[in-house]
Amino acid sequence: MTSPSTSGGSYRGENCRVLIVGTAGAAVQLFRWLRQGDVDVRVVGCLIPRSTSQESAARVARVVQPTGHFEGLAETVADRAVDRVLITMPLTERATLHELAAQLD
């Protein structure tokens, strides 16, 4: 993975509010990657699938507090004044990716 500060767009100086949306393991990995990079972002929440096991949800909660499930994406974006939604999940979950994108239309 490349550093967030050197990939496509720069987050430096923006202090943008981001929402992580993804499967438990991927959400934790992205959160840690953001924290180790030279980025100026504030993670304001994390949405995980409703089907996430209690054990996996607890693993996420040790790193970043889950704030809800995928179904609440549009509401969470509005309520938390989110600037960017970072979605992280396997590409095999294309149907879920389309459902998430539809919530943001």
Side-chain angles (χ1 to χ4, degrees), residues 16-81:
C16 67
R17 298 167 56 84
V18 301
L19 175 68
I20 296 175
V21 178
T23 55
V28 167
Q29 184 179 18
L30 177 57
F31 181 80
R32 289 180 174 155
W33 181 64
L34 288 169
R35 289 292 151 233
Q36 77 183 17
D38 181 21
V39 293
D40 188 17
V41 298
R42 178 173 171 215
V43 176
V44 296
C46 176
L47 301 182
I48 58 177
R50 187 171 298 282
S51 61
T52 302
S53 70
Q54 286 184 331
E55 180 181 326
S56 292
R59 190 172 60 243
V60 172
R62 286 192 292 271
V63 178
V64 57
Q65 185 60 47
T67 52
H69 299 100
F70 288 177
E71 298 84 3
L73 176 58
E75 183 177 300
T76 303
V77 167
D79 290 349
R80 294 180 180 259

